[in-house]
Amino acid sequence: MNASLDSLRALLSHHVPADEREREDLERMRRFAEELEQPFSRAQPRAHFTGSAVVVDPAGARVVLLLHGKLKRWLQPGGHAEEADAGRMEDSALREAREETGCRVVLHPRAPRPLDVDVHTIPARKDEAEHQHLDVRYLVVAENPEALVHDPNESTGAQWLTWDEALARVGEDAPLRRLLEKARAVARAQ
């Protein structure tokens, strides 16, 4: 048995969803973890696992959102799992957060791991068919928030926002709102 796949299955088996949508997504992710030949490879045409992170400042008062270059939406940092991550989704999320914000990040000490899961459709582009991202989401702390920059290959901007500003920026995106609400509850708890 593949150790990285075993690790993914264990991670998904312990996650407790917050609502019906997350429960349905979690079940889909569990099925994909069983069905996909290479669940961490973006070469999978139907779906593949991704890792993302809600990045907060040390006080838990502000959160980073990125204006995604291709999707033209404000989102949390995140992206594709890589072979070096060896199926450890938290490593994918941490790597992506570092690359996309320029900050040193660590897992939030009180947050569930993962904090949230979400399945979302990536629209077709000229070089890629429509497919599903099976996103495993974490809460991380930027140890050096003043270092915030954006990766121009991924986004057209990165900003520290208050929780209310972030929620206003993401609008009616229910899974992203759920993620931010979960993150705010943990980050603000003393």
Side-chain angles (χ1 to χ4, degrees):
M1 199 49 111
N2 182 323
S4 50
L5 196 50
D6 286 346
S7 175
L8 175 65
R9 289 175 179 146
L11 183 76
L12 296 175
S13 73
H14 293 104
H15 183 67
V16 178
D19 60 23
E20 185 62 22
R21 164 75 192 265
E22 188 178 11
R23 187 193 65 72
E24 291 170 3
D25 285 351
L26 180 60
E27 288 306 315
R28 290 172 65 198
M29 291 171 90
R30 288 173 176 162
R31 282 194 305 276
F32 274 121
E34 297 298 327
E35 296 171 8
L36 293 174
E37 201 171 304
Q38 297 176 306
F40 307 109
S41 172
R42 62 190 304 176
Q44 293 289 286
R46 290 175 37 219
H48 45 263
F49 281 85
T50 59
S52 69
V54 175
V55 180
V56 298
D57 67 5
R62 298 179 301 157
V63 60
V64 170
L65 287 182
L66 308 173
L67 184 55
H68 194 281
K70 294 176 183 167
L71 299 176
K72 307 294 186 226
R73 294 177 46 216
W74 288 95
L75 301 170
Q76 78 280 13
H80 296 95
E82 292 183 2
E83 195 171 319
D85 302 333
R88 292 181 303 273
M89 297 313 301
E90 64 189 33
D91 289 355
S92 299
L94 287 165
R95 178 182 42 73
E96 289 289 338
R98 279 191 303 272
E99 289 174 0
E100 294 185 10
T101 68
C103 296
R104 284 188 317 272
V105 293
V106 294
L107 292 169
H108 192 286
R110 294 186 312 272
R113 296 178 188 169
L115 179 66
D116 191 81
V117 298
D118 178 62
V119 177
H120 52 271
T121 301
I122 301 300
R125 294 193 295 263
K126 57 185 163 205
D127 60 340
E128 205 170 42
E130 179 179 282
H131 62 280
Q132 303 288 303
H133 275 186
L134 313 170
D135 200 30
V136 182
R137 301 162 154 191
Y138 293 85
L139 178 59
V140 305
V141 178
E143 296 178 317
N144 58 338
E146 71 286 349
L148 180 65
V149 295
H150 77 277
D151 177 350
N153 295 319
E154 298 290 335
S155 67
T156 58
Q159 290 184 333
W160 283 109
L161 302 167
T162 67
W163 291 103
D164 290 341
E165 290 168 338
L167 286 163
R169 191 85 42 107
V170 302
E172 298 303 313
D173 183 332
L176 185 49
R177 291 184 72 78
R178 179 189 67 226
L179 172 65
L180 290 174
E181 292 286 2
K182 283 183 185 184
R184 176 167 61 178
V186 174
R188 286 186 158 176
Q190 295 300 327

